[in-house]
């Protein structure tokens, strides 16, 4: 079983209806799919790979193996010979890029390349959200407007640059523990060669096999709420590998912290009756994030219940 692969260029051609149906299926049945021919140039993607790997080698790798908590804790656990597994930490080097935080300063071309990449990716996210609007039967621009808390550009667009180094005891630690994503639309540029990403489908963990220069899309908790449960936010995880460093660049198109999120009106009214069969609440995204930071690796349903009373 493999997650859907969708040729995004067909959205602008004669096969648009088929592409839209594939996107609907990816959102409704999987919560994950891969986009190819998405409009971001291979030349730019190759530069992103290069500067990300160079940044890790130049500014991150030595610190990870010398000073990071997962390395120290794993070493202690191995020495104990208890057979236990590290449960509350991830074998991951990670930093965040946003418009208003400090970026790695030493890698030539990093800021210029990643700024260009983020701009292209944000456009792709907005085009994809318009396709979601259309498939859901809600007004064009509805999801974007909801995430911005109205008009303007207040939505948060962040990029998490992760590397999962080779691990001498991969059976004893997680790369990234299983979770669903808190936000909206997630666009992942994953490693071409080192796999490890899995999603939970019908009780089975499925590998998300790398396709060179594809963008992996997944829908977060806020899309599940806005769609009144039609689109799913699904569990996923990263397993560590004994060989090779996995590069993973995940960008998040999330609501503004002040945005109010609730199921779209058009999706809860049916024959003059309100139908909210999953009982999704209305809440402010910042309140949801306050709960999520404490409960990221737990089921999402109690998070929805927790913000109901905030």
């Amino acid at each position: 079983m493999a997650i859907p692969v969708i040729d995004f260029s067909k959205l602008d051609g004669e096969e648009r209806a088929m592409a839209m149906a594939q996107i609907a299926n990816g959102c409704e049945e999987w919560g994950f799919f891969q986009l190819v021919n998405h409009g971001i140039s291979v030349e730019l993607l190759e530069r992103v790979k290069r500067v990300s790997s160079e940044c890790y080698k130049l500014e991150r790798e030595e610190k990870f193996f010398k000073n990071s908590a997962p390395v120290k804790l794993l070493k202690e656990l191995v020495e104990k010979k208890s057979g236990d597994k590290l449960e509350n930490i991830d074998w991951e080097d990670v930093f965040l890029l946003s418009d208003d935080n400090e970026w790695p300063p030493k890698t030539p071309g990093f800021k210029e390349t990643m700024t260009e990449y983020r701009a292209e990716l944000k456009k792709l996210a907005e085009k994809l959200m318009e396709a979601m609007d259309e498939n859901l039967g809600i007004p064009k621009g509805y999801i974007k407007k909801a995430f911005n808390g109205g008009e303007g550009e207040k939505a948060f667009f962040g990029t998490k640059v992760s590397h999962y180094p080779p691990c001498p005891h991969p059976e004893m630690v997680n790369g990234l523990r299983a979770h669903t994503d808190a936000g909206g639309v997630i666009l992942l540029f994953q490693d071409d060669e080192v796999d490890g990403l899995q999603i939970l489908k019908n009780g089975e963990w499925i590998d998300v096999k790398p396709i060179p220069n594809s963008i992996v899309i997944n829908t977060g908790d806020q899309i599940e709420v806005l769609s009144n449960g039609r689109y799913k936010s699904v569990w996923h995880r990263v397993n560590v590998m004994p060989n090779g460093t996995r590069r993973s660049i995940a960008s998040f198109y999330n609501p503004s912290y002040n945005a109010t999120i609730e199921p779209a009106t058009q999706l809860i009214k049916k024959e003059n009756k309100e139908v909210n069969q999953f009982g999704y609440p209305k809440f402010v995204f910042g309140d949801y994030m306050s709960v999520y930071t404490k409960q990221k690796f737990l089921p999402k349903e109690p998070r929805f219940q927790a913000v109901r009373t905030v």
Side-chain angles (χ1 to χ4, degrees), residues 177-179 197-207 234-239:
R177 286 162 282 169
H179 64 287
L197 176 63
Q198 295 182 318
I199 71 165
L200 190 62
K201 170 80 168 163
N202 299 330
E204 182 182 350
W205 287 102
I206 308 288
D207 291 328
V234 303
W235 288 91
H236 53 287
R237 69 184 184 186
V238 177
N239 293 325

Side-chain angles (χ1 to χ4, degrees), residues 53-68:
S53 296
E54 287 174 357
C55 177
Y56 173 69
K57 287 284 184 191
L58 184 64
E59 304 187 51
R60 312 286 305 185
E61 185 176 38
E62 186 177 355
K63 290 178 189 172
F64 180 83
F65 283 108
K66 271 190 176 179
N67 303 317
S68 74

Side-chain angles (χ1 to χ4, degrees), residues 96-109:
L96 179 72
L97 305 177
S98 68
D99 290 339
D100 53 7
N101 72 341
E102 189 174 335
W103 291 24
K106 297 177 184 174
T107 305

Side-chain angles (χ1 to χ4, degrees), residues 83-255:
D84 292 338
K85 183 172 179 175
L86 281 180
E87 294 293 352
N88 297 313
I89 200 162
D90 301 309
W91 188 264
E92 177 188 36
D93 176 77
V94 58
F95 60 91
L96 179 72
L97 305 177
S98 68
D99 290 339
D100 53 7
N101 72 341
E102 189 174 335
W103 291 24
K106 297 177 184 174
T107 305
F110 182 87
K111 185 159 191 177
E112 297 80 359
T113 297
M114 296 307 288
T115 299
E116 183 182 349
Y117 171 70
R118 278 167 44 79
E120 289 296 312
L121 211 60
K122 190 174 182 182
K123 286 189 282 187
L124 175 61
E126 290 177 347
K127 187 172 181 180
L128 182 60
M129 288 192 298
E130 287 187 355
M132 291 179 183
D133 292 332
E134 186 177 332
N135 274 332
L136 288 168
I138 58 180
K140 183 177 180 179
Y142 186 102
I143 296 173
K144 180 180 177 181
K145 189 174 180 180
F147 283 4
N148 281 294
E151 302 301 334
E153 294 287 334
K154 301 183 200 116
F156 176 77
F157 190 74
T159 299
K160 193 181 86 159
V161 181
S162 299
H163 286 83
Y164 302 94
C167 179
H169 299 279
E171 74 288 351
M172 295 176 70
V173 65
N174 299 287
L176 181 59
R177 286 162 282 169
H179 64 287
T180 66
D181 286 325
V185 176
I186 298 88
L187 306 96
L188 170 68
F189 184 31
Q190 69 167 341
D191 202 282
D192 285 352
E193 297 173 9
V194 183
D195 57 13
L197 176 63
Q198 295 182 318
I199 71 165
L200 190 62
K201 170 80 168 163
N202 299 330
E204 182 182 350
W205 287 102
I206 308 288
D207 291 328
V208 180
K209 289 293 185 187
I211 297 175
N213 300 318
S214 69
I215 300 292
V216 179
I217 305 296
N218 72 285
T219 44
D221 296 349
Q222 308 314 303
I223 291 289
E224 179 167 327
V225 173
L226 275 170
S227 71
N228 197 28
R230 282 225 352 232
Y231 293 174
K232 303 300 181 204
S233 175
V234 303
W235 288 91
H236 53 287
R237 69 184 184 186
V238 177
N239 293 325
V240 287
M241 298 294 164
N243 302 300
T245 296
R246 173 181 167 81
R247 180 188 59 253
S248 174
I249 305 169
S251 297
F252 303 81
Y253 200 117
N254 284 358

Side-chain angles (χ1 to χ4, degrees), residues 16-51:
R16 174 180 167 78
M18 182 183 74
M20 289 292 287
Q22 289 174 335
I23 291 168
N25 175 67
C27 293
E28 291 176 15
E29 300 299 326
W30 289 83
F32 262 80
F33 50 94
Q34 300 205 54
L35 293 184
V36 296
N37 298 324
H38 40 63
I40 300 175
S41 74
V42 171
E43 184 273 331
L44 175 55
L45 293 175
E46 290 295 335
R47 276 193 283 132
V48 169
K49 291 180 204 174
R50 189 182 74 246
V51 297

